[in-house]
Amino acid sequence: DETLRALEADVAARHRGIAGLAPVLAILGAVLLAFAAMSFVAANWQEMSKLARLALLFSSIWGTFALAGLFHTRALPAFADAAILLACALFGASIMLIAQMYHMADNPPDAVLTWAAGTLLAGTALRSNPALALAMVLAGVWSGWETMISQVTHWPFLAAWLAVAATFAWQRWRPGLHIAGSAAAAWTIALAFTWDKGTPSYALVAVVGLVAVAGIIIAERSFPRFADLGLAPAALGYAMVVAFAGLLLLQLDRPR
C-alpha cells in the first residue's frame, strides 16, 4: 500500500496537460473516422434506399453521442470528448450526404454555417472543448468561403466568432482563447484584401494592429481587473502579429 501511494503521488506530480498518449490517439482516431465518413460523399451507395441512408446517418450521430455518454459515466473525459467530436463531424458529413441525395445546391457556405451552429450547440451543451474548437474552425471556413464568393469583407463572421469565443471564456479553456485570437488575427489581416472590393488596404491592417497594441497596453496599465485575467500578453501578441503583417505588406507593396 505504501508503494502504491508513492507511485500515485509520483504520477500526479508528473501530470502535465493531456494525460497520456491514449487521449491523443482517441482524438486523432475521431478525426480519421470523420474524414472516412466524409469520403462517402463521393461514394456510390445507390444500392441503399434513401430511407436506409437517412437511418444510417442519424443512428451513427446519436449512437456516437450515446458512446460519449458511456465514456463520461466511466470517468474517461478525453474519450468522451473524442466521441463528441466524431458525432459533430458525422453531423457535417450527414449534411453533405443529404444535400447530395436530394441534389441541394443553393449556397454551399450555408451548409458549413449549419454545421458550425450544430457543433457549437453540442460543444456548449456537453461542455466539450474539442467540439468548440471545431466550431471555430468551421466558422472560419464559412467566412472564408463567403468572402471568396463575394470578394468583400464578411462581417457576419464577427458574430459567429464572438459566440464561440464567449463559450471558450465560459469554459475557461485557455487553448480555445488562443484559437479565437488566431482566428481574429487571420480575419483582420484578410481585411487588407477585402475591405475595398479587392483593392489592397494594407495601411488599414497596420493601423488596426497598432491601435489594438496601444489599447491593450493602456487597458493593462489602467484596469487592474483586466491585468488580473492574464489575457493581456496573448492578446498583445496577436495584435502585434496583425500590426507586423500590415507593415510588412506595406513594405512589399512599395515600388522599387
Side-chain angles (χ1 to χ4, degrees), residues 44-69:
N44 182 10
W45 60 341
Q46 301 301 324
E47 298 300 324
M48 296 177 63
S49 67
K50 290 184 178 179
L51 181 60
R53 296 180 218 170
L54 291 174
L56 175 63
L57 294 175
F58 286 106
S59 63
S60 64
I61 294 171
W62 291 109
T64 309
F65 276 126
L67 182 63

Side-chain angles (χ1 to χ4, degrees), residues 2 21 24 46 66 94 117 150 170 176 192 204 253:
E2 184 178 353
L21 181 62
V24 176
Q46 301 301 324
S94 298
S150 63
W170 174 63
L204 173 66
D253 193 48

